[in-house]
Amino acid sequence: MKTIIEPFRIKVTEPLKIISKEERRAALQKAHNNVFLLNSEDCAIDLLTDSGTGAMSKRQWAAMMLGDESYAGSPSFHKFEKTIRNITGMKHIFPTHQGRAAEGILAATRTKPGNIVPNNSHFDTTRANFEFVGTKALDLICEEGLDNAKEAPFKGNMDIEKLEATIKKHGRENIPFAMITVTNNTSGGQPVSMKNIRETKLILQKYDIPFVMDVCRFAENAYFIQQREVGYDGKSLLEISQEMFSYADAATMSLKKDGLVNIGGFLVCNDDEWAEDFKNMLIMREGFPTYGGLAGRDLEAAAVGLMEALDPAYQEYRHATVEYLANAMDERDIPYVRPVGGHAVFIDAKAFLPHIPALHYPGIALVNTLYIEGGIRAV
Ligand SMILES: *Cc1c(COP(=O)(O)O)cnc(C)c1O
């Protein structure tokens, strides 16, 4: 078996306190059995999310010092823009303070009450942003994506037939755009194939419907395509990402994911009219278009992080950590969503704890037990 070690050395440490089981029990009680309300200092191993929680590289920290904090036209923005244009090929690039801010601008400017936006699966913030403005967020995940135990290479795919049926049923005029989320976070971090992205594009093109991608884990998805899809094993992660983006008309991103930074997001598009709407809303909600709610140093760190996420050694290591955990679960017969996704192992709590009825919340029971027994904060 090939051994994969971390492709980095650790330069800074953060002290970690391990409290006793009794203290954890008391902390959880004080948090009303809701791990979101715990103090992070009371969580020895915090697996709540990887969103914005990672350590930055020395190149990112070095870039932070180059941050130019001018209100308008900062060179830090130009680096940010150039990097994102290289990866996405998009004409218009807007920074935002998080992914959900990009989604909020998209929902407010490009949808009307009563509209429908299909997606493979909407992330919870995406769904909330659409529902808030009266737009219906529709999930059209493929058949195998609905079966937790089934092994399939691309369980995050869009159901192409359901997509076309939805367009025919509701009418093109009620669908301002359709989306695909890579990787499909809501369905367990499952990847989407290039073939599925291409087929989605063809259907949307046929009905003249724009295609927006939620690309929070674009590098991770590119890695899955490289590993699993015929014709892509010789291509770099950057080339695969560029092809993915070539099918999209616009995209939203949380830089807290594959931007490898602690805060940030972006909204990109090709259409000039969309860009004008985005820009006006951005100025009201986020900031001037060359900083969009971020500091110059944040833009610098993200420009470096986006390229580092495309480093094959990093992706290989990342996937190895998830597989390591999955193998340990296999040895103990713990049921989880198969195969493991890109950024987490999703335990099937209902199957793992069959003696706990659904309305007694097996998921919460598992999360709370993990915390009390192991000091692990899961979600
Ligand atoms: C994290 C995430 C978002 C929201 O991004 P934030 O930066 O947390 O606002 C949207 N979509 C997907 C798929 C995500 O993983």
Side-chain angles (χ1 to χ4, degrees):
M1 204 183 104
K2 189 178 166 194
T3 302
I4 298 168
I5 65 163
E6 291 83 349
F8 49 80
R9 275 191 303 196
I10 297 168
K11 192 174 200 165
V12 177
T13 61
E14 285 188 69
L16 205 57
K17 190 178 71 176
I18 302 179
I19 60 173
S20 71
K21 195 164 161 179
E22 282 62 45
E23 287 170 311
R24 289 198 293 272
R25 210 187 285 281
L28 193 57
Q29 207 153 43
K30 219 174 118 201
H32 308 284
N33 293 318
N34 176 0
V35 294
F36 266 90
L37 300 181
L38 288 170
N39 249 324
S40 63
E41 287 170 323
D42 294 338
C43 305
I45 300 176
D46 197 348
L47 303 182
L48 191 70
T49 176
D50 63 344
S51 180
T53 64
M56 290 202 298
S57 70
K58 68 174 175 181
R59 283 195 198 88
Q60 285 179 293
W61 280 109
M64 298 262 292
M65 283 308 289
L66 302 174
D68 181 303
E69 308 301 344
S70 307
Y71 193 91
S74 149
S76 300
F77 172 71
H78 295 299
K79 274 185 226 167
F80 179 85
E81 186 185 39
K82 198 172 150 208
T83 304
I84 295 170
R85 186 161 294 131
N86 177 27
I87 298 169
T88 68
M90 293 277 172
K91 188 170 172 196
H92 304 283
I93 290 157
F94 302 105
T96 59
H97 83 278
Q98 278 194 229
R100 68 195 69 185
E103 294 160 2
I105 291 169
L106 177 69
T109 57
R110 306 308 314 175
T111 72
K112 289 199 290 284
N115 279 174
I116 293 162
V117 175
N119 201 330
N120 48 352
S121 304
H122 287 272
F123 186 69
D124 52 12
T125 58
T126 323
R127 169 177 295 280
N129 269 301
F130 288 135
E131 290 179 352
F132 185 67
V133 295
T135 292
K136 191 168 177 212
L138 200 63
D139 288 345
L140 301 177
I141 179 95
C142 64
E143 219 44 60
E144 54 278 25
L146 296 169
D147 183 349
N148 283 347
K150 187 168 176 183
E151 293 271 355
F154 291 103
K155 286 173 76 173
N157 280 352
M158 170 83 88
D159 188 321
I160 303 290
E161 279 166 27
K162 275 195 203 148
L163 176 63
E164 185 154 31
T166 300
I167 299 169
K168 282 185 178 154
K169 183 174 162 203
H170 296 283
R172 184 257 161 268
E173 64 284 3
N174 293 312
I175 303 177
F177 52 87
M179 294 183 77
I180 271 195
T181 304
V182 295
T183 56
N184 192 335
N185 198 336
T186 302
S187 82
Q190 298 293 326
V192 179
S193 70
M194 194 73 88
K195 179 165 175 277
N196 189 254
I197 293 172
R198 218 178 286 123
E199 286 172 354
T200 300
K201 175 69 179 176
L202 282 176
I203 296 285
L204 296 177
Q205 229 164 13
K206 184 169 148 191
Y207 295 92
D208 195 25
I209 296 172
F211 185 13
V212 180
M213 287 170 68
D214 176 341
V215 296
C216 292
R217 316 269 186 186
F218 75 96
E220 192 176 286
N221 202 73
Y223 180 77
F224 276 117
I225 289 174
Q226 188 191 53
Q227 299 298 307
R228 296 182 182 172
E229 194 163 348
V230 179
Y232 288 93
D233 60 345
K235 295 223 161 100
S236 72
L237 298 179
L238 177 61
E239 288 168 328
I240 295 169
S241 301
Q242 286 166 335
E243 185 184 337
M244 272 191 313
F245 280 104
S246 73
Y247 303 115
D249 299 294
T252 59
M253 161 108 189
S254 170
L255 288 165
K256 301 174 74 167
K257 315 290 171 53
D258 282 355
L260 304 182
V261 287
N262 304 118
I263 199 76
F266 66 66
L267 179 58
V268 295
C269 68
N270 280 323
D271 186 274
D272 294 341
E273 203 183 306
W274 281 40
E276 196 58 30
D277 289 349
F278 291 167
K279 185 156 80 178
N280 290 331
M281 188 63 75
L282 186 84
I283 293 169
M284 269 197 297
R285 288 186 171 184
E286 295 286 289
F288 195 71
T290 59
Y291 73 86
L294 295 171
R297 54 182 174 272
D298 297 328
L299 299 170
E300 293 273 353
V304 175
L306 281 163
M307 295 310 292
E308 289 186 339
L310 291 166
D311 177 348
Y314 166 69
Q315 286 297 335
E316 192 177 20
Y317 146 76
R318 192 172 160 78
H319 287 259
T321 61
V322 180
E323 264 155 37
Y324 176 84
L325 185 53
N327 291 339
M329 302 238 175
D330 281 337
E331 283 164 20
R332 290 159 183 82
D333 281 329
I334 298 172
Y336 58 85
V337 178
R338 285 174 182 279
V340 280
H343 51 270
V345 176
F346 287 72
I347 298 175
D348 187 341
K350 202 165 121 193
F352 185 35
L353 306 170
H355 59 292
I356 302 181
L359 280 176
H360 289 188
Y361 308 116
I364 302 283
L366 177 59
V367 164
N368 287 354
T369 306
L370 272 174
Y371 178 68
I372 291 172
E373 294 298 323
I376 299 165
R377 174 156 71 168
V379 63

